[in-house]
Amino acid sequence: MVFNMILTSTLETLYMVFFSTIFSMLIGFPIGILLVVTRPGNILEKPTLNKFLEVCINTLRSFPFIILMICVFPLSRIIVGTTIGVTAAIVPLSISAAPFVARMVEGALSEIDKGLIEASSSMGASNFTIIFKVMIPETLPHLIHGLTVTVISLIGYSAMAGTIGAGGLGDLAIRFGYQRFKTDIMIYSVIVIIILVQLIQSFGNYLVYRIKKNR
């Protein structure tokens, strides 16, 4: 009985985190690239657009996750038809993680030596080539490290989302472990979350190691 509850909640958490990671990457990755290339002195200099993106990202990052979840209830209802459950939680999870992904990408791409970009440009490389064949491959270990941190953060957020009916391990720990005084369920939920975080961090570290070793 308890095993089935833990298993079901673990699968729900993985479902939320998996799709939230994909959607937050789809939103945050291009924004992060734009943040770098539109800076003054960079290959697609657009100060106004850069400033606008900065304000948008800072605004979204200012929202506490619980408040953000409530604010995007109408959007969740429009997109998935409900505001409760694991699928509905993917919408606020993706929106909350996208600014972090954008900053993560910005931080990684900012590490590139400007001389490398100038050299590529002087050899006739297009902006597309510079971004996707120079900048991103050069910073791939940093990007994977940042993505690992994002996924782990999403696990924490998904547990928080469980407090308002999103499902997953957080929901199980609160509804059964805390509210029904079943301490064992709460402990099991926390242990599974710890194991998930350890596995994901280890896998991320392994990928970074393999990429650096193969260079």
Side-chain angles (χ1 to χ4, degrees):
M1 176 68 176
V2 173
F3 175 79
N4 288 336
M5 292 169 69
I6 293 289
L7 178 62
T8 301
S9 297
T10 302
L11 293 176
E12 287 176 348
T13 294
L14 292 175
Y15 170 77
M16 284 190 285
V17 171
F18 177 76
F19 284 102
S20 300
T21 301
I22 289 176
F23 292 129
S24 63
M25 288 290 290
L26 289 175
I27 299 169
F29 206 88
I31 294 175
I33 293 173
L34 281 175
L35 273 172
V36 174
V37 298
T38 58
R39 282 178 182 169
N42 220 317
I43 56 176
L44 287 172
E45 183 177 336
K46 302 281 183 190
T48 305
L49 175 60
N50 187 274
K51 200 69 182 173
F52 174 74
L53 292 174
E54 287 274 357
V55 171
C56 289
I57 289 174
N58 290 340
T59 302
L60 280 174
R61 292 184 67 185
S62 302
F63 277 83
F65 180 64
I66 291 292
I67 303 297
L68 180 68
M69 278 197 75
I70 296 170
C71 290
V72 300
F73 270 170
L75 183 61
S76 300
R77 190 182 299 280
I78 291 171
I79 295 176
V80 299
T82 180
T83 59
I84 298 174
V86 290
T87 302
I90 291 172
V91 177
L93 285 171
S94 302
I95 292 174
S96 69
F100 289 96
V101 172
R103 287 297 186 198
M104 176 268 291
V105 173
E106 179 196 19
L109 297 184
S110 298
E111 296 293 320
I112 294 180
D113 184 357
K114 283 191 174 180
L116 183 62
I117 297 175
E118 290 171 359
S120 303
S121 184
S122 65
M123 286 189 290
S126 66
N127 291 334
F128 181 88
T129 301
I130 292 173
I131 293 170
F132 291 98
K133 294 191 176 180
V134 178
M135 297 175 74
I136 292 178
E138 274 297 312
T139 58
L140 198 54
H142 296 287
L143 292 173
I144 291 176
H145 178 71
L147 179 61
T148 304
V149 174
T150 301
V151 173
I152 291 173
S153 298
L154 278 170
I155 290 176
Y157 283 143
S158 72
M160 205 184 305
T163 61
I164 55 174
L169 291 165
D171 181 50
L172 182 69
I174 293 296
R175 280 198 303 123
F176 289 87
Y178 178 69
Q179 295 177 346
R180 301 186 186 182
F181 304 104
K182 293 184 179 297
T183 308
D184 57 333
I185 292 181
M186 181 179 286
I187 292 173
Y188 292 149
S189 301
V190 173
I191 289 174
V192 173
I193 290 174
I194 292 172
I195 292 171
L196 287 177
V197 169
Q198 292 292 334
L199 289 175
I200 291 168
Q201 185 64 61
S202 298
F203 183 63
N205 291 343
Y206 172 75
L207 285 180
V208 171
Y209 167 76
R210 293 296 300 177
I211 291 172
K212 286 183 176 178
K213 188 180 178 182
N214 291 332
R215 286 188 165 180

